[in-house]
Amino acid sequence: MPVTPVVAVLHHDLIWLRRDPVPFVTLLLTPCLLMSFTAPLYAGVASRLGHEGASGADFSVPGMALMFAFFMGGVIKESIFREFELHTWNRVQVSGASAGDLLGGKILLGGMLVLGQSSVLFLVGGLLLGLNVRGSMVALIVLLVGVAVCVVSFSLALCTLARSRSQAFAYDRVITLVWTVLGGALVPIELMPSWVRALATVTPVHWAVSGLREVIVGGGGLRQVLLSVACLFAFSLVFCAIALWRVSKKVDRGFRW
Amino acid sequence: MTPSLRVEGLGKRYGERRVLSGVDLVAGRGEILAVLGANGAGKTTLLSIIAGITSHDEGDVRVLGVDVRAHPKAVRGRIGWAAQDTAVYPTHTVEENLRYFGTLGGVRRGGLRASVDAVMEALDLTRSSRTPVRDLSGGQRRRVHAACALVHRPELILLDEPTVGADPETRRDLLRLVAAIARDGATVLYTSHYLGEIEDLDARVVVLGGGRCLAEGPVSDLVSRHARSELVLRFHGPPPTTHWPGARVDEDLLRLPTADPAIDIIKAVEWVGAERDRLRSVDIAKADLESAYFNILRAGSCP
């Protein structure tokens, strides 16, 4: 039974998701398929990069998990734009919840979805594709939480920057694909030209990939992923600041998208 | 006693366009205040400002004694707002929608069940409680829309054209409910283009025009001050000219103001005389809110 506005919003959105689970299920099944297709390709890459004993899944699973984590942000964007299209955004606030409560519920939903998706993908990778996490599980979880926070804050920023749902999703697809490629989630960064490697550091995906590689292939612990986690949270702070700034502008204009 | 709503000198601009200017309103507990005006008169903006959704540029708005600009959170949950556009979740059932808005409005556990059941009963939604809103008719959706504004038992209720698109039965039920809510002590701000509804509710009326308050008072007061009964004579072709005080020609109609229709109708028919063959019909248009409203808009200034 929901008792606080944030939990009520989360509960409400979960009902929505239960009635229309297709987006979530698609974002679970597609990476599973792609992971199984690409794992054999990465097997050769692993040995070429000097990671003897690493499986293709050690590269394909985190890469696909990251790319589709950012795509999962679409569910949050959908949820926010839906409130405006149904004219419920303002109504909810007059009813007793603040914009913070409303966004809080959606942030929780997004975080849960990204973490749930990552957990399923890593589980499938471990059980079916030969993924072997050599390092600390705690470090892996902390990294995935960092990724979830980054995805959610990025989605919020994008919602406030875009003028419409279609704009938000167009930007989302372009930015996610560019970040995924530049950040080394699809092709290991070592195989890219030096100028691309320099650009990669300005993408959150790069820091997530290097942290995950450190834990999965390098056997690292919490200390080894601290820089990656810190960078992910720094990106999140920037995204949140953009979102807050844009929201304050919109409030002055009557808060309409 | 602090009024439920006090608006003083309210002004609002959208860019260069002034939407509201110097609007004053007061509404006490248990009162129904109808806000009338043409499209674009500023009714919806006024309600949005009172709801704390839109900021205002000038003046003071106090809801239940609280300044909505300074402390918007303090009045949230104490207001029920049904905007013009239906704002409910189509994939959720009637009951899920009501439980959601009830919870957000601060109704907790045991009370929630009772509140949801009561509002469903009042708006004849009980049989549809487990039906997703998208499967309901337009009229039933309007009922759910209104019910969501009432489920948390707010002290101030803002209903912005709640009966638009509603069938006569829905309209009747909504009006009954609004009257009952006011009797229970809640304050209702009601906008509508159906002036008969305002007469049925026996509301106090504020007429907005060009963002300003043009007239204010009980329906009977406005009618007596701004409307007169008319004899309406319809002719074949243009009506004949007359020196009847205040007579107006409206295509083939001749409108003759009258304080006593029963006597004046005889005078009018006698006066028609030679033109009697061209006279098609004579009707009495009684003074009502509609004629008062149009006269107020025509005059365009506060009494």
Side-chain angles (χ1 to χ4, degrees):
Chain A
M1 175 66 66
V3 287
T4 67
V6 173
V7 177
V9 172
L10 173 67
H11 178 255
H12 179 79
D13 275 1
L14 285 173
I15 294 176
W16 198 295
L17 206 63
R18 202 177 66 211
R19 300 268 155 80
D20 183 14
V22 173
F24 181 67
V25 172
T26 309
L27 291 170
L28 270 184
L29 293 183
T30 312
C32 286
L33 282 174
L34 291 180
M35 280 172 357
S36 60
F37 295 158
T38 54
L41 300 174
Y42 283 109
V45 174
S47 58
R48 192 178 153 189
L49 294 176
H51 299 296
E52 300 301 335
S55 70
D58 293 346
F59 289 83
S60 68
V61 172
M64 291 300 161
L66 282 173
M67 182 163 77
F68 280 87
F70 276 90
F71 282 141
M72 187 60 88
V75 176
I76 308 166
K77 287 189 273 292
E78 171 67 30
S79 163
I80 290 173
F81 278 106
R82 192 173 53 217
E83 299 281 357
F84 284 91
E85 286 165 6
L86 294 175
H87 310 287
T88 46
W89 178 270
N90 285 337
R91 171 168 225 170
V92 164
Q93 290 182 68
V94 176
S95 298
S98 65
D101 294 327
L102 196 48
L103 288 178
K106 307 222 178 266
I107 287 168
L108 270 182
L109 172 78
M112 280 169 53
L113 291 180
V114 172
L115 283 175
Q117 179 198 42
S118 302
S119 306
V120 170
L121 295 185
F122 275 83
L123 209 63
V124 168
L127 294 176
L128 302 177
L129 302 174
L131 170 75
N132 181 16
V133 180
R134 293 162 183 81
S136 155
M137 287 306 285
V138 174
L140 180 68
I141 291 167
V142 170
L143 264 171
L144 291 179
V145 169
V147 169
V149 171
C150 194
V151 167
V152 169
S153 52
F154 169 65
S155 299
L156 289 182
L158 212 51
C159 277
T160 60
L161 286 168
R163 287 175 180 273
S164 65
R165 174 204 292 252
S166 52
Q167 259 190 26
F169 279 89
Y171 295 151
D172 185 32
R173 279 191 287 272
V174 171
I175 294 171
T176 298
L177 287 172
V178 169
W179 279 358
T180 309
V181 172
L182 276 185
L186 290 184
V187 180
I189 194 85
E190 296 87 336
L191 302 179
M192 293 190 182
S194 57
W195 67 270
V196 175
R197 285 205 290 272
L199 269 180
T201 54
V202 296
T203 71
V205 173
H206 166 77
W207 297 101
V209 167
S210 56
L212 289 171
R213 184 93 70 83
E214 194 66 54
V215 175
I216 295 167
V217 181
L222 209 48
R223 188 174 294 175
Q224 283 72 36
V225 299
L226 269 183
L227 178 62
S228 293
V229 172
C231 287
L232 285 171
F233 278 103
F235 274 107
S236 306
L237 274 178
V238 172
F239 296 144
C240 283
I242 292 171
L244 284 174
W245 168 66
R246 290 290 295 175
V247 164
S248 67
K249 292 275 179 196
K250 284 174 190 291
V251 166
D252 286 346
R253 296 203 306 264
F255 215 145
R256 289 186 173 83
W257 247 262
Chain B
M1 191 173 171
T2 310
S4 300
L5 174 69
R6 181 184 289 279
V7 175
E8 286 177 335
L10 180 65
K12 172 70 183 173
R13 284 176 181 278
Y14 286 119
E16 289 301 302
R17 193 164 63 92
R18 184 172 270 283
V19 184
L20 293 172
S21 176
V23 173
D24 298 323
L25 295 177
V26 177
R29 273 175 58 85
E31 189 171 17
I32 302 174
L33 183 62
V35 182
L36 304 182
N39 291 330
K43 303 186 298 292
T44 297
T45 302
L46 173 65
L47 263 60
S48 302
I49 290 171
I50 294 168
I53 288 302
T54 301
S55 61
H56 52 286
D57 303 318
E58 300 153 17
D60 191 31
V61 179
R62 290 186 175 271
V63 171
L64 305 162
V66 177
D67 182 341
V68 288
R69 182 154 54 184
H71 308 287
K73 285 182 184 172
V75 291
R76 278 191 187 126
R78 299 174 73 187
I79 297 177
W81 183 43
Q84 268 179 45
D85 298 308
T86 304
V88 290
Y89 297 95
T91 51
H92 290 55
T93 65
V94 172
E95 191 177 336
E96 284 166 348
N97 269 285
L98 293 173
R99 291 184 76 88
Y100 180 54
F101 285 107
T103 306
L104 295 182
V107 185
R108 292 285 174 259
R109 292 180 186 275
L112 187 60
R113 175 80 265 161
S115 284
V116 168
D117 285 349
V119 78
M120 285 198 300
E121 177 72 30
L123 283 168
D124 196 19
L125 289 165
T126 309
R127 275 174 299 164
S128 317
S129 65
R130 292 179 190 277
T131 308
V133 169
R134 66 180 165 207
D135 295 338
L136 297 177
S137 66
Q140 282 181 309
R141 284 184 206 190
R142 291 302 288 180
R143 286 172 189 247
V144 179
H145 175 60
C148 289
L150 308 173
V151 66
H152 56 296
R153 299 177 190 276
E155 293 157 80
L156 174 65
I157 299 158
L158 311 173
L159 300 173
D160 197 356
E161 300 185 26
T163 55
V164 166
D167 56 63
E169 201 181 348
T170 302
R171 184 171 296 172
R172 183 201 61 199
D173 289 352
L174 268 170
L175 292 178
R176 279 183 187 165
L177 186 59
V178 168
I181 289 165
R183 276 197 303 274
D184 287 346
T187 305
V188 182
L189 232 75
Y190 192 97
T191 78
S192 178
H193 289 300
Y194 304 112
L195 302 184
E197 289 178 2
I198 310 303
E199 289 175 315
D200 290 347
L201 287 169
D202 196 22
R204 194 157 62 81
V205 175
V206 168
V207 180
L208 289 182
R212 291 179 303 124
C213 163
L214 300 180
E216 187 264 327
V219 171
S220 54
D221 222 38
L222 287 187
V223 170
S224 66
R225 274 191 285 151
H226 297 279
R228 289 177 72 182
S229 297
E230 285 181 331
L231 298 174
V232 182
L233 284 69
R234 182 182 294 271
F235 289 87
H236 289 286
T241 52
T242 173
H243 298 294
W244 191 289
R248 287 188 296 120
V249 175
D250 185 2
E251 296 187 348
D252 60 344
L253 299 179
L254 182 63
R255 296 178 178 276
L256 307 175
T258 171
D260 193 341
I263 292 176
D264 284 347
I265 196 166
I266 299 166
K267 284 187 195 167
V269 172
E270 281 173 358
W271 162 78
V272 167
E275 298 280 357
R276 193 169 297 163
D277 292 345
R278 291 208 299 123
L279 184 63
R280 289 167 62 191
S281 63
V282 179
D283 291 306
I284 297 169
K286 285 186 70 180
D288 59 7
L289 182 59
E290 185 172 311
S291 50
Y293 170 74
F294 285 120
N295 287 336
I296 290 165
L297 289 189
R298 257 195 297 273
S301 61
C302 278

